[in-house]
Amino acid sequence: MPRPRYAYLGPAGTFTEVALRQVVSPDDAEYLPQTDVVSAIEAVRAGVADHAVVAIESTIEGGVTATLDALAVGDPLVLQREVLVPVGFTLVGRPGVALADVRRVAAHPHAWVQCRRWLGAHVPGAVHVVATSNTAPAALLADAGAGADGDALGFDAALVPPAAPAHYGLADRVLAEGVADNPEAVTRFVVVGRPGPVPPPTGADKTTLVVHLPSNEAGALLTMLEQFAARGVNLSRIESRPIGDSLGRYSFSMDAEGHITEERMGEAFMGLHRVCPHVRYLGSYPRADRRAADVHIGTADADFLAARDWLRSVRGGASV
Amino acid sequence: MPRPRYAYLGPAGTFTEVALRQVVSPDDAEYLPQTDVVSAIEAVRAGVADHAVVAIESTIEGGVTATLDALAVGDPLVLQREVLVPVGFTLVGRPGVALADVRRVAAHPHAWVQCRRWLGAHVPGAVHVVATSNTAPAALLADAGAGADGDALGFDAALVPPAAPAHYGLADRVLAEGVADNPEAVTRFVVVGRPGPVPPPTGADKTTLVVHLPSNEAGALLTMLEQFAARGVNLSRIESRPIGDSLGRYSFSMDAEGHITEERMGEAFMGLHRVCPHVRYLGSYPRADRRAADVHIGTADADFLAARDWLRSVRGGASV
Amino acid sequence: MPRPRYAYLGPAGTFTEVALRQVVSPDDAEYLPQTDVVSAIEAVRAGVADHAVVAIESTIEGGVTATLDALAVGDPLVLQREVLVPVGFTLVGRPGVALADVRRVAAHPHAWVQCRRWLGAHVPGAVHVVATSNTAPAALLADAGAGADGDALGFDAALVPPAAPAHYGLADRVLAEGVADNPEAVTRFVVVGRPGPVPPPTGADKTTLVVHLPSNEAGALLTMLEQFAARGVNLSRIESRPIGDSLGRYSFSMDAEGHITEERMGEAFMGLHRVCPHVRYLGSYPRADRRAADVHIGTADADFLAARDWLRSVRGGASV
Amino acid sequence: MPRPRYAYLGPAGTFTEVALRQVVSPDDAEYLPQTDVVSAIEAVRAGVADHAVVAIESTIEGGVTATLDALAVGDPLVLQREVLVPVGFTLVGRPGVALADVRRVAAHPHAWVQCRRWLGAHVPGAVHVVATSNTAPAALLADAGAGADGDALGFDAALVPPAAPAHYGLADRVLAEGVADNPEAVTRFVVVGRPGPVPPPTGADKTTLVVHLPSNEAGALLTMLEQFAARGVNLSRIESRPIGDSLGRYSFSMDAEGHITEERMGEAFMGLHRVCPHVRYLGSYPRADRRAADVHIGTADADFLAARDWLRSVRGGASV
């Protein structure tokens, strides 16, 4: 039997690879590094990969718009799993450079933003040298080898993902680990696949969806949100995205607490289908934190089933 | 086959009898006059009558609380039909009395209230002699006969229902017809019966129900009303009634536009069943005015069925 | 200085008189008994009385529609105080009649309804003889004197208010006291007066008002209720009343928790004034139960004042 | 008097410069090109510039997160004006290259996305050569001069802003103008300045703001949105942004129709201040499209003033 193929944002050493390793070992799957998240997602649509692992949101940056947009249109895909990866960089230096010597730090702009306070405290006055990706400066350091020259390289140290030093043979150049301003910061990755049988509910699930609002209607967002509220369904993520045909038209990408096979979620979805011009289901899957959804009074499956039985008896002419 | 038996607020000549005659001819049914609406309703529960015809609301007085309360508790009954009767009284006089001679007018207090302005204009200065029912003064006039003495009777003329003069042999004593301050005023009557098969929808139906609100919850009324709003169901009547165990606890008696077998009504009823401690269905029946319900976008039966089919395909793993 | 004049539903011995005695002693005020609540209220409008004491709602019967309607239209009046009176009747008998001998019980229909279970248990099989008021049978017993004949009277015992036996010299004929099916049942009375300076808030107040809903608007009731909800104002009473011009048009009589001078109440009233065709303020007054209103987060007076200061600074161009 | 200084995303020839020219002529102002929007905004905070012109949203990409985030925190700034610039690129070629010869197109990724269908139709099979900015390939073409070599450059043609060819002396190399897949696509720019007196309302204004939702409250978004709905204020833009301390915590950046000095907007802002932990006002300014706001029944300034006068009279004890 062939090993499953996973497309992801490569190269080796990225945060996405850390997420992918939580999903499946490289011994059990084929890792297919891609240059960007859209390529990873399209690889699944094209049948080149069975799954893609892509970042969908982060504490600092919010929703990953490339991922959200790539999932919202095109052939349907579903989310099958979520993985949380703590944000924490490793600072690696040129040969012979100590933390106190660092004057120029190479970092992807996102990395720089997330470590600014730490750098201010530990390498005060260091300037930012822009890197084009998180792993690029690691590759440069590796290429430069033992005699790496600071002027040629343009930097003294670099912020790289924690998996990068091992990949690039820089394990002995680590100046600091777990570098991050907010120790709670995480990036959330999802495993994407082609639609198939819906996995059974675990009692602690999320359901992801995209809806368009009707165009010329004041209060349309309220009407949409009330479909969830009226059935006691909580939302744990809501992101607005432009529909793209004119300013002021939005779609919303959301995570709802619960599983599509649960009654309250099903009725909310039916309500959305009735009042919104477009609804796309993007999968129900277990929550990474295993926390069961809050079920409000009257919104458990048993409540819906009892209500349906009661309605059936009323319609049948029974005394109630 | 025995003729159906109808209990109603008698005696002959009442407004209720006018309503009953709209429902069924005395040739085809047994008329069972009762002393009050509760007795009429209980006659159905006891099996003494097949149906009751009772007033449920009027333009002037609002809900008939005795009717509402009698339907809300006790063995279940359902409304089967509604009948609207214009409010308009006939003024009958003692023998030989002309309109200009009238000084004292016998009238039930409700009748007096509804004709006060007319009387002020046509018999200015006339005083109110309280009658115990709308037909009582007609009976007194009939008993007194041709020599009726004003002092013995205590009044010169009486406001009686339009059907009363014929019943009481007073057709030649009519001083004025259609007496009413508000020419639009109507009383709404309902035909009550024991539960049985739900009649098919006609496209222009009402559904009557009673719900209790959960006791200690702020915004409980909003939550209840949103069950209708979320499914696009309009209410044409809403009456609060005390539950009776303590001040501040209410039940609501309502008429909703539509039929219990319609999807939006069914889902609203299920929602009420989930969030309210008590819901009683009191019947779906054709509207007297034959006006079709307003169906909001996305709330027609076809919309609900399409939503259900879509949900089924989503749950089945289909691409959407 | 003249003593204040209080109109009330008389005669002496009624429940209303019990309420009036809680308000002011007959030594300090002139008691003006009236034949009905409308007359009591009109006596204030006419300047014949300074105040009226009238029942406004009861646990069993709900809102007293005559009171609600009389306050809702006509010259403005305000509620100045509320008084709660427990519902509990006294059973008085003919001379020489013991509880075990009672076969016929005279009672106003409201009284009968509230004592039916008690009577079923203590005088099983007794029949109801309809009285025209709560005190009427007491007067009949008093008139009949020591030789009262059951056949002439038509009853053996009567349900009367607890204050009636003393008034009518029947203290030695009491067969039972505190007769009531629901020991929690109370009737709520209000003191009505002409508008004047608004009394200061006590921290535990109610505000009574009447609003009309806009005629042809679905969701009008929701819109009206949201004016309260958006400012965190709770309602402790809501009664629908027909406006009277056609079926389906309602006004609502409500008690809101709080005082008109409080910020959240003021903003809710302004909101109602903007969205409803008619709003009538009927007074702010201390609650009989002295219970302070629940104040939701962000709705205390200090929150409104802070918000207003902040808005002023924003409009003034200040940095915020 | 010194000329006002405008910071903007340079260099000369960018879309931002097109927007800036709509605001003020280079003859009347000092243009200060910056490398990114954050630098432009910070130049105002630092006092180096008087204003910044930055993109805030586009039809295709949605909100410009760097702009939104830079405005949401740090020293307060306000939006003073908005400018809409149609999205439409100019395709410029190497010397001697005709449209039919184009095989490699240099373009910033955003530009590529917005022209993909046009390119597929007009230069089928052309590959994307990633440019680091919209103007970078224009500079490369200009530097290469008349003998520009395709292999050295790495591309045959480039998508550049319409103002770029003139700036870079490439006016004779234009292969196509107005290149865009969606002819309706626009980018919205705003003029940012330091807080000062609020400009007077024009009758067709927008107000921009940022709010944080209370953290642990289901329905918090509904509560926030109802502050606008209860006062009849429409929203023309709503963007969610992570607050950054943990997943699931959001701020919302919004444009509301109307002016901060209007009553309904003022009351909505006060409501937000009471129920949300943080609200930042980002300015009221004229709409680029000059379209007057829809004013719902009961929400005009006159309605608010009438309501306030009425409340004052009620609180003063007046008859109403």
Side-chain angles (χ1 to χ4, degrees):
Chain A
M1 195 181 104
R3 294 187 306 164
R5 299 158 301 167
Y6 282 82
Y8 73 106
L9 177 66
T14 60
F15 280 105
T16 308
E17 200 210 46
V18 174
L20 173 52
R21 282 176 178 268
Q22 290 190 30
V23 174
V24 63
S25 156
D27 299 337
D28 300 328
E30 191 176 346
Y31 279 26
L32 304 175
Q34 309 290 322
T35 57
D36 52 59
V37 294
V38 175
S39 302
I41 288 168
E42 292 300 338
V44 180
R45 286 199 173 107
V48 175
D50 300 303
H51 307 280
V53 173
V54 291
I56 192 164
E57 69 171 322
S58 81
T59 321
I60 310 293
E61 299 291 318
V64 179
T65 58
T67 299
L68 296 174
D69 291 352
L71 293 170
V73 296
D75 287 341
L77 295 173
V78 291
L79 310 190
Q80 300 169 322
R81 185 169 164 185
E82 67 173 8
V83 175
L84 301 180
V85 175
V87 171
F89 292 86
T90 295
L91 188 72
V92 290
R94 280 192 295 118
V97 165
L99 191 58
D101 305 326
V102 173
R103 298 284 173 275
R104 297 167 298 180
V105 177
H108 187 267
H110 287 185
W112 180 263
V113 164
Q114 297 183 46
C115 302
R116 203 152 24 181
R117 286 204 308 273
W118 189 96
L119 295 166
H122 294 86
V123 288
V127 297
H128 181 200
V129 176
V130 176
T132 57
S133 77
N134 278 322
T135 52
L140 291 173
L141 279 172
D143 290 349
D149 175 59
D151 290 337
L153 273 172
F155 61 85
D156 306 315
L159 288 171
V160 299
H167 273 289
Y168 291 93
L170 304 171
D172 56 344
R173 308 268 190 78
V174 171
L175 301 178
E177 292 185 310
V179 176
D181 289 348
N182 174 4
E184 305 292 314
V186 295
T187 300
R188 183 177 158 231
F189 294 85
V190 287
V191 179
V192 176
R194 284 182 293 277
V198 171
T202 68
D205 302 284
K206 271 186 191 169
T207 297
T208 296
L209 71 159
V210 171
V211 303
H212 288 196
L213 295 190
S215 51
N216 296 311
E217 194 178 302
L221 178 55
L222 268 179
T223 299
M224 187 270 279
L225 293 171
E226 282 166 351
Q227 301 299 320
F228 293 100
R231 285 84 182 189
V233 176
N234 277 337
L235 298 175
S236 58
R237 182 181 62 86
I238 178 164
E239 305 263 352
S240 57
R241 294 294 302 147
I243 288 178
D245 48 5
S246 66
L247 288 182
R249 286 254 296 142
Y250 295 97
S251 75
F252 284 84
S253 174
M254 293 174 281
D255 293 342
E257 297 184 1
H259 193 277
I260 187 69
T261 61
E262 290 175 313
E263 293 289 331
R264 66 186 183 286
M265 187 71 77
E267 197 177 294
F269 263 69
M270 288 192 288
L272 293 170
H273 189 269
R274 291 188 291 104
V275 304
C276 296
H278 179 68
V279 185
R280 175 176 275 209
Y281 164 76
L282 282 174
S284 289
Y285 48 91
R287 296 171 63 127
D289 63 8
R290 305 280 182 232
R291 197 166 65 76
D294 291 329
V295 180
H296 299 271
I297 290 175
T299 66
D301 273 14
D303 298 312
F304 278 87
L305 296 176
R308 193 171 300 144
D309 285 347
W310 172 78
L311 177 64
R312 190 176 300 122
S313 74
V314 165
R315 285 177 170 168
S319 306
V320 282
Chain B
M1 195 180 104
R3 295 186 306 162
R5 301 159 299 166
Y6 282 81
Y8 72 106
L9 176 65
T14 60
F15 281 105
T16 307
E17 199 211 47
V18 174
L20 173 53
R21 281 175 178 272
Q22 290 191 28
V23 174
V24 62
S25 156
D27 298 338
D28 300 328
E30 188 177 348
Y31 279 26
L32 305 173
Q34 309 290 323
T35 56
D36 53 61
V37 294
V38 175
S39 300
I41 288 168
E42 291 300 339
V44 180
R45 286 201 171 107
V48 174
D50 300 302
H51 307 280
V53 174
V54 290
I56 192 165
E57 68 172 323
S58 80
T59 323
I60 310 293
E61 298 291 318
V64 178
T65 57
T67 298
L68 297 174
D69 291 352
L71 292 170
V73 296
D75 286 342
L77 295 172
V78 292
L79 310 190
Q80 300 170 323
R81 184 169 166 184
E82 66 172 9
V83 175
L84 300 180
V85 175
V87 170
F89 292 85
T90 295
L91 189 71
V92 290
R94 280 191 296 119
V97 165
L99 192 57
D101 306 325
V102 173
R103 298 284 173 275
R104 296 167 299 180
V105 176
H108 186 269
H110 288 187
W112 181 263
V113 165
Q114 298 182 47
C115 302
R116 203 151 26 179
R117 287 203 308 273
W118 188 97
L119 295 167
H122 295 84
V123 288
V127 297
H128 180 199
V129 176
V130 176
T132 58
S133 77
N134 279 322
T135 52
L140 291 173
L141 280 171
D143 289 349
D149 174 62
D151 290 335
L153 272 172
F155 60 86
D156 305 314
L159 288 170
V160 301
H167 274 287
Y168 291 91
L170 305 171
D172 57 343
R173 310 269 189 77
V174 170
L175 301 178
E177 291 184 311
V179 176
D181 289 346
N182 174 3
E184 305 292 314
V186 295
T187 299
R188 183 177 160 232
F189 293 85
V190 288
V191 179
V192 176
R194 283 183 295 276
V198 171
T202 67
D205 302 285
K206 270 186 194 169
T207 297
T208 297
L209 71 158
V210 171
V211 302
H212 288 196
L213 295 190
S215 50
N216 296 310
E217 195 178 303
L221 178 56
L222 269 178
T223 299
M224 187 271 279
L225 293 170
E226 281 166 354
Q227 301 300 320
F228 294 100
R231 285 85 182 188
V233 176
N234 276 338
L235 297 175
S236 59
R237 180 180 63 84
I238 178 165
E239 305 263 353
S240 56
R241 294 293 304 146
I243 290 180
D245 47 5
S246 65
L247 289 182
R249 286 254 295 142
Y250 296 96
S251 74
F252 284 85
S253 173
M254 294 174 281
D255 292 342
E257 297 184 3
H259 193 277
I260 187 68
T261 61
E262 289 176 312
E263 293 289 332
R264 66 186 183 288
M265 187 70 79
E267 197 178 294
F269 263 69
M270 288 193 287
L272 293 171
H273 188 270
R274 290 189 292 101
V275 304
C276 295
H278 179 69
V279 185
R280 174 178 274 208
Y281 164 76
L282 282 174
S284 289
Y285 48 91
R287 295 171 62 127
D289 62 9
R290 305 284 182 226
R291 196 165 66 76
D294 291 329
V295 180
H296 300 271
I297 289 174
T299 66
D301 273 12
D303 298 311
F304 277 89
L305 296 175
R308 194 170 300 145
D309 285 347
W310 172 78
L311 177 64
R312 190 177 298 121
S313 74
V314 166
R315 285 178 170 168
S319 305
V320 281
Chain C
M1 196 180 103
R3 293 187 306 163
R5 299 159 301 167
Y6 282 81
Y8 74 105
L9 177 66
T14 60
F15 281 107
T16 308
E17 199 210 47
V18 174
L20 173 53
R21 283 175 178 271
Q22 290 190 29
V23 174
V24 62
S25 157
D27 299 336
D28 300 327
E30 191 175 346
Y31 280 25
L32 304 174
Q34 309 289 323
T35 57
D36 52 61
V37 294
V38 175
S39 301
I41 288 168
E42 292 301 338
V44 180
R45 286 199 172 107
V48 174
D50 301 300
H51 307 279
V53 173
V54 291
I56 192 164
E57 70 173 323
S58 80
T59 322
I60 309 293
E61 298 291 317
V64 178
T65 59
T67 298
L68 296 174
D69 291 353
L71 294 170
V73 297
D75 288 341
L77 295 173
V78 291
L79 310 191
Q80 300 169 321
R81 184 168 165 185
E82 66 173 8
V83 176
L84 300 180
V85 175
V87 171
F89 292 86
T90 295
L91 189 71
V92 290
R94 281 190 296 119
V97 165
L99 191 59
D101 305 326
V102 174
R103 297 285 172 274
R104 296 167 298 180
V105 176
H108 186 269
H110 288 186
W112 180 264
V113 164
Q114 299 182 44
C115 301
R116 202 154 24 183
R117 288 205 306 274
W118 188 94
L119 295 166
H122 295 85
V123 287
V127 296
H128 180 199
V129 175
V130 176
T132 57
S133 76
N134 278 322
T135 52
L140 291 174
L141 279 172
D143 290 349
D149 175 62
D151 290 335
L153 272 172
F155 60 87
D156 305 315
L159 287 171
V160 299
H167 274 290
Y168 291 92
L170 305 170
D172 57 342
R173 309 267 190 79
V174 170
L175 301 178
E177 291 184 312
V179 175
D181 289 349
N182 175 3
E184 306 292 313
V186 295
T187 299
R188 182 178 159 230
F189 293 84
V190 287
V191 179
V192 175
R194 283 183 294 275
V198 171
T202 66
D205 303 284
K206 270 185 192 170
T207 297
T208 296
L209 70 160
V210 171
V211 303
H212 288 196
L213 295 190
S215 51
N216 295 310
E217 193 179 303
L221 178 55
L222 268 179
T223 299
M224 186 271 279
L225 293 171
E226 282 166 353
Q227 300 299 321
F228 293 100
R231 286 83 181 189
V233 176
N234 277 338
L235 298 174
S236 59
R237 181 181 63 87
I238 178 164
E239 305 263 353
S240 56
R241 293 295 302 148
I243 289 180
D245 47 5
S246 65
L247 288 182
R249 287 254 295 142
Y250 296 97
S251 73
F252 283 85
S253 173
M254 294 174 281
D255 293 340
E257 297 184 1
H259 193 277
I260 187 68
T261 62
E262 290 176 312
E263 294 289 330
R264 66 187 184 286
M265 187 71 77
E267 196 177 294
F269 263 69
M270 288 193 286
L272 294 170
H273 189 269
R274 291 189 291 102
V275 304
C276 296
H278 179 69
V279 185
R280 174 177 275 210
Y281 164 75
L282 282 173
S284 289
Y285 48 90
R287 296 171 61 128
D289 63 8
R290 306 280 181 228
R291 197 166 66 75
D294 291 329
V295 180
H296 299 271
I297 289 174
T299 66
D301 274 12
D303 298 311
F304 277 88
L305 296 176
R308 192 171 300 144
D309 286 346
W310 171 78
L311 177 64
R312 190 176 299 123
S313 73
V314 165
R315 284 177 170 169
S319 307
V320 283
Chain D
M1 194 178 105
R3 295 187 307 165
R5 300 159 299 166
Y6 281 82
Y8 73 107
L9 177 66
T14 59
F15 281 106
T16 308
E17 199 210 46
V18 174
L20 173 53
R21 282 175 178 272
Q22 290 191 28
V23 174
V24 63
S25 157
D27 299 337
D28 299 328
E30 189 175 348
Y31 280 25
L32 303 175
Q34 309 290 323
T35 55
D36 52 60
V37 294
V38 174
S39 301
I41 288 168
E42 292 300 338
V44 180
R45 285 201 173 108
V48 175
D50 300 303
H51 307 279
V53 174
V54 291
I56 192 165
E57 68 171 323
S58 80
T59 323
I60 310 293
E61 298 292 317
V64 179
T65 58
T67 298
L68 296 174
D69 292 351
L71 292 170
V73 295
D75 287 341
L77 295 172
V78 291
L79 310 190
Q80 300 170 322
R81 184 169 164 185
E82 66 172 8
V83 176
L84 300 180
V85 175
V87 171
F89 293 85
T90 295
L91 189 71
V92 290
R94 280 192 296 121
V97 166
L99 192 56
D101 306 325
V102 173
R103 297 285 173 274
R104 296 167 298 181
V105 177
H108 186 269
H110 288 185
W112 181 263
V113 165
Q114 297 182 46
C115 302
R116 203 152 24 180
R117 288 205 306 273
W118 189 95
L119 295 167
H122 295 85
V123 288
V127 296
H128 181 200
V129 176
V130 176
T132 57
S133 78
N134 278 323
T135 53
L140 290 173
L141 279 171
D143 289 350
D149 175 60
D151 289 335
L153 272 173
F155 60 85
D156 305 315
L159 288 171
V160 300
H167 273 288
Y168 292 92
L170 305 171
D172 57 344
R173 310 268 190 77
V174 170
L175 302 179
E177 291 183 312
V179 176
D181 289 347
N182 174 4
E184 306 291 314
V186 295
T187 300
R188 181 176 161 233
F189 293 86
V190 287
V191 180
V192 175
R194 283 183 294 277
V198 172
T202 67
D205 303 284
K206 269 185 193 170
T207 297
T208 297
L209 72 158
V210 171
V211 302
H212 288 196
L213 295 190
S215 51
N216 295 311
E217 195 179 303
L221 178 55
L222 268 178
T223 299
M224 187 270 280
L225 294 170
E226 281 166 352
Q227 300 300 321
F228 293 101
R231 285 86 182 188
V233 176
N234 276 339
L235 297 175
S236 60
R237 181 181 63 85
I238 178 165
E239 304 265 353
S240 56
R241 295 293 304 145
I243 289 180
D245 48 5
S246 65
L247 289 181
R249 285 255 295 142
Y250 296 98
S251 73
F252 284 84
S253 173
M254 294 174 281
D255 293 341
E257 297 185 3
H259 193 277
I260 186 70
T261 61
E262 290 175 312
E263 293 289 332
R264 65 186 183 288
M265 188 71 78
E267 197 177 295
F269 262 69
M270 289 193 285
L272 293 170
H273 188 270
R274 290 188 293 102
V275 304
C276 296
H278 179 69
V279 185
R280 175 176 274 208
Y281 164 75
L282 282 173
S284 289
Y285 48 91
R287 296 171 61 126
D289 62 9
R290 306 280 181 229
R291 196 165 67 75
D294 292 327
V295 180
H296 299 271
I297 289 174
T299 67
D301 273 12
D303 298 312
F304 277 88
L305 296 176
R308 193 170 301 145
D309 286 346
W310 172 77
L311 177 63
R312 189 176 300 123
S313 74
V314 166
R315 284 178 170 167
S319 303
V320 283

